[in-house]
């Protein structure tokens, strides 16, 4: 039995899941195939409907 | 992103791929391949001295090919981790040529051409799949001529043009203009080279090239081999200067794009491709039109769609505000065809179903609101994880437990199992985290008792 969780994908969903798990005190391995995390959201300039900066 | 990099309970493995998953819920064994970056992660400070000196220039995938990057690169400026990576397919040194400049300039001594892939084995109780989506490739739709007409681009390409950190620093330069500018730059380089060569002759003979060539043509230097070469160089020089001047004249008329058209449902709600509604594209187009208008107040946008689906907190108000304050017109109708008119302006042909008229209109730039498609490599990942996919290729999830995949202990969230926008992805991610936590905390509690 293991207490750790593997998250596959470092886009906004993977980042949120990892942070939530880590905040619960669970150890997370976050695997991303690209050189940096951020996913599609990092490519966005602003987000709707608040026009907040995506990064 | 920064929080992920800093959190003591998160082991970030970027530039890595899952190769094998064995075991069962509560006790999975996952094999991860940590791909060689050829840069030591613990040494690289992300200063970027290496990429400044790297001689290999490539299209930048993060900017959707609109800008350039080097063979040693960071995925994007604020990326976490900030470690640079060498592209093994294009690096001169790794392909047997003499180079190694990055290694010489790296003060942290982080470049390591001998680095190899590493295999890591992890014991985990649960798995969350958040592998995202791929932007639908609109070149599959012949009538929109994406890739044939440079000023027809996708929403994500437009996003990079709008971004202050993008290839145009947020100015809406048209891709056709960018092509001309790139051509001019290449020609200018050649002109400089040929000017240098001419300069040598001019100094040697103490005469300007133009005056010399006049005399040469009149037969003044017959039989002089060296001056013959000079004349040849001068002719080649003129052959460079003339097209450059023509391009410069063309570039004088360039302006930023101010009349935009957004074409909705490109690949989605289309029975040839994906019959589903991708959900976020209507709002995405409205947002892009609002931001473009913020950049340049004269910008007007027309959004062509069957209907505008503004379902979400504050979405309908956002749509109305766009129409009232940001120069957006909503036209009910599907675009039939895009062609190219004078000044490289794309011409959109559509039926306005409210007016009951077929109309052709030209714009500065056309943006295609592309569908959400299953991500690259999704078949292989499904095989590795031993989970099923639905008929569109996304990971299959339950109807009552909507984040559970077909294998116990593996959960999906975000666009990995269907199209959705950012707020929904975030909410689902928290849900998937809770589902995964149930397994590992129950397991640890049993262990403790």
């Amino acid at each position: 039995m293991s207490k750790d969780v593997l998250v596959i994908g470092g886009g906004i969903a993977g980042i949120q899941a990892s942070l939530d798990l880590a905040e619960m005190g669970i150890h997370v391995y976050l695997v991303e195939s690209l050189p940096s995390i951020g996913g599609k959201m990092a490519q966005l300039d602003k987000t709707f409907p608040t026009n907040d900066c995506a990064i | 992103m920064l929080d992920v990099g800093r959190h003591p309970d998160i082991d970030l493995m970027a530039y890595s791929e899952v190769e094998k998953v064995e075991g069962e819920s509560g006790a999975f064994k996952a094999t991860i391949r940590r791909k060689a970056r050829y840069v030591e992660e613990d040494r690289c400070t992300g200063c970027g001295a290496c990429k400044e000196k790297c001689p290999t220039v490539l299209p930048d995938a993060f900017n959707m090919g609109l800008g350039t990057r080097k063979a040693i690169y960071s995925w994007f400026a604020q990326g976490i981790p900030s470690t640079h990576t060498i592209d093994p397919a294009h690096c001169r040194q790794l392909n047997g040529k003499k180079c190694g400049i990055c290694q010489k300039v790296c003060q942290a001594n982080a470049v390591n051409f001998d680095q190899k892939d590493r295999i890591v084995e992890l014991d985990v109780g649960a798995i969350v799949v958040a592998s995202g989506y791929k932007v639908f490739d609109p070149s599959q739709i012949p009538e929109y001529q994406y890739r044939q007409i440079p000023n027809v681009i996708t929403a994500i390409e437009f996003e990079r043009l709008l971004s202050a950190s993008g290839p145009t620093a947020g100015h809406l330069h048209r891709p056709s203009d960018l092509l001309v500018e790139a051509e001019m730059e290449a020609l200018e380089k050649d002109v400089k080279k040929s000017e240098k060569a001419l300069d040598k002759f001019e100094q040697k003979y103490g005469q300007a090239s133009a005056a010399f060539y006049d005399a040469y043509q009149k037969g003044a230097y017959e039989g002089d081999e060296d001056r013959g070469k000079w004349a040849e160089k001068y002719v080649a020089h003129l052959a460079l200067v003339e097209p450059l001047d023509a391009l410069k004249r063309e570039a004088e008329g360039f302006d930023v794009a101010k009349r935009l058209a957004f074409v909705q449902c490109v690949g989605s709600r289309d029975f040839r491709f994906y019959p589903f509604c991708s959900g976020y594209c209507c709002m995405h187009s409205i947002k892009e039109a609002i931001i473009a208008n913020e950049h340049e107040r004269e910008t007007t946008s027309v959004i062509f769609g069957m209907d505008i689906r503004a379902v979400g907190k504050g979405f309908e108000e956002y749509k109305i505000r766009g129409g009232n304050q940001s120069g957006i017109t909503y036209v009910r109708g599907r675009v039939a065809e895009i062609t190219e008119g004078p000044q490289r302006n794309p011409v959109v042909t559509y039926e306005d179903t409210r007016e009951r008229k077929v109309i052709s209109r030209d714009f500065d730039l056309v943006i295609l609101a592309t569908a959400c498609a299953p991500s690259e490599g999704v078949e292989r990942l499904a095989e590795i994880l031993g989970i099923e996919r639905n008929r569109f290729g996304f990971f299959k999830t339950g109807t009552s437990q909507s984040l559970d995949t077909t294998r116990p202990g593996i959960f999906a969230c975000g666009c990995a199992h269907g199209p959705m926008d950012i707020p929904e992805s975030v909410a689902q991610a928290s849900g998937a985290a809770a589902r995964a936590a149930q397994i590992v905390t129950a397991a640890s509690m049993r262990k403790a008792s």
Side-chain angles (χ1 to χ4, degrees):
Chain A
M1 287 289 172
S2 169
K3 291 188 283 180
D4 301 345
V5 174
L6 170 65
V7 176
I8 304 170
I12 182 60
I15 289 174
Q16 184 67 43
S18 300
L19 287 173
D20 277 14
L21 285 161
E23 287 298 311
M24 289 185 238
I26 295 165
H27 192 84
V28 180
Y29 297 99
L30 173 56
V31 174
E32 163 62 47
S33 67
L34 291 171
S36 309
I37 55 168
K40 292 278 187 304
M41 188 168 162
Q43 288 179 291
L44 304 180
D45 180 39
K46 306 273 168 62
T47 58
F48 60 75
T50 47
N51 292 353
D52 285 338
C53 182
I55 296 176
Chain B
M1 288 192 300
L2 203 58
D3 293 341
V4 171
R6 280 184 186 153
H7 206 292
D9 266 328
I10 300 177
D11 260 336
L12 177 54
M13 298 181 169
Y15 210 50
S16 305
E17 272 166 23
V18 179
E19 293 229 308
K20 203 161 76 180
V21 170
E22 286 173 327
E24 52 173 12
S25 178
F28 288 111
K29 199 173 258 314
T31 310
I32 314 291
R33 176 179 292 272
R34 306 215 57 189
K35 294 181 277 184
R37 284 179 189 264
Y38 304 99
V39 176
E40 301 291 348
E41 210 160 315
D42 49 353
R43 285 199 184 154
C44 175
T45 59
C47 74
C50 50
K51 68 180 168 207
E52 252 168 54
K53 297 287 180 202
C54 175
T56 310
V57 182
L58 299 162
D60 183 358
F62 181 77
N63 280 325
M64 308 309 291
L66 290 163
T68 56
R69 67 158 166 87
K70 299 294 186 67
I72 186 163
Y73 64 105
S74 64
W75 181 237
F76 64 101
Q78 303 90 337
I80 304 281
S82 58
T83 314
H84 284 51
T85 306
I86 292 180
D87 181 342
H90 298 99
C91 169
R92 291 170 60 87
Q93 180 82 20
L94 289 173
N95 287 288
K97 287 183 191 151
K98 251 193 164 176
C99 189
I101 296 172
C102 51
Q103 198 171 34
K104 279 176 214 137
V105 299
C106 180
Q107 290 185 347
N109 203 13
V111 177
N112 175 8
F113 291 113
D114 299 321
Q115 202 179 56
K116 298 268 178 302
D117 288 6
R118 280 180 299 137
I119 302 293
V120 183
E121 289 216 331
L122 305 174
D123 286 309
V124 293
I127 299 174
V128 174
V129 188
S131 50
Y133 72 103
K134 181 183 79 179
V135 172
F136 171 79
D137 175 14
S139 56
Q140 298 170 67
I141 304 180
E143 59 269 30
Y144 290 166
Q145 298 202 64
Y146 173 70
R147 294 258 181 250
Q148 258 95 52
I149 305 176
N151 293 330
V152 175
I153 60 173
T154 62
I156 197 98
E157 286 168 350
F158 188 69
E159 202 72 48
R160 296 316 301 151
L161 289 182
L162 276 180
S163 172
S165 62
T168 57
H171 300 292
L172 274 186
H173 296 304
R174 305 200 307 165
S176 66
D177 300 354
L178 294 179
L179 287 175
V180 169
E181 274 158 21
E183 210 178 317
M184 266 165 54
E185 212 172 286
L187 270 175
E188 262 164 13
K189 249 189 205 167
D190 290 343
V191 165
K192 254 193 199 154
K193 248 192 228 164
S194 94
E195 267 171 1
K196 249 191 196 165
L198 288 178
D199 214 34
K200 271 187 199 155
F201 282 108
E202 285 178 3
Q203 277 183 3
K204 189 171 171 185
Y205 293 107
Q207 197 178 8
S209 293
F212 150 74
Y213 191 65
D214 268 347
Y216 179 83
Q217 269 187 320
K218 283 172 194 150
Y221 304 107
E222 224 161 294
D224 187 333
E225 219 172 273
D226 197 40
R227 281 194 167 90
K229 269 188 203 155
W230 186 5
E232 247 172 62
K233 285 251 155 78
Y234 187 65
V235 172
H237 179 72
L238 288 182
L240 289 173
V241 170
E242 277 160 22
L244 179 62
D245 285 343
L247 288 178
K248 273 185 184 163
R249 275 194 298 277
E250 195 186 333
E252 273 169 22
F254 288 171
D255 196 3
V256 291
K258 286 180 182 156
R259 298 172 307 143
L260 314 177
F262 291 85
V263 179
Q264 296 308 117
C265 300
V266 176
S268 32
R269 297 172 79 189
D270 185 332
F271 284 94
R272 295 172 297 176
F273 307 104
Y274 297 109
F276 56 73
C277 166
S278 292
Y280 55 71
C281 345
C282 285
M283 293 305 293
H284 190 190
S285 291
I286 296 170
K287 183 214 72 177
E288 290 192 325
I290 289 178
I291 301 289
N293 181 270
E294 277 178 7
H295 284 211
E296 197 80 55
R297 291 302 295 178
E298 302 125 71
T299 307
T300 54
S301 302
V302 181
I303 299 182
F304 296 97
M306 292 187 270
D307 43 29
I308 300 295
R309 296 187 163 177
V311 187
K313 204 200 285 176
F315 288 10
E316 182 68 18
E317 292 79 358
Y318 191 70
K319 175 189 121 186
I320 294 167
R321 200 181 88 203
N324 289 342
Q325 299 173 11
S326 303
I328 305 177
T329 316
Y330 301 99
V331 172
R332 185 167 168 271
R334 208 160 171 144
V335 171
E337 192 183 27
I338 305 169
T339 51
E340 194 170 46
Q343 274 104 44
R344 316 221 70 173
N345 284 345
V347 180
V348 174
T349 304
Y350 62 99
E351 185 196 1
D352 187 325
T353 54
R354 273 185 291 222
E355 303 269 329
R356 291 192 183 175
K357 269 185 201 152
V358 175
I359 303 166
S360 289
R361 241 179 106 173
D362 81 314
F363 291 93
D364 294 338
L365 196 60
V366 172
I367 298 103
L368 305 176
T370 40
C372 173
S375 64
E376 215 82 61
V378 71
E379 278 167 49
R380 195 168 157 251
L381 187 57
E383 231 169 80
I384 290 167
L385 296 173
I387 57 178
E388 287 172 36
R389 296 190 300 146
N390 67 18
R391 65 190 171 107
F392 306 120
F394 295 103
F395 295 120
K396 194 172 177 178
T397 42
T399 40
S400 55
Q401 285 293 357
S402 66
L403 307 176
D404 291 21
T405 65
T406 51
R407 186 171 177 185
I410 303 185
F411 308 97
C413 59
C415 291
H417 70 131
M420 69 193 65
D421 61 13
I422 294 166
E424 200 179 344
S425 289
V426 169
Q428 282 204 351
S430 294
R435 293 287 292 151
Q438 280 171 8
I439 289 178
V440 294
T441 48
S444 60
M445 272 160 62
R446 270 200 301 276
K447 204 175 177 185
S449 63

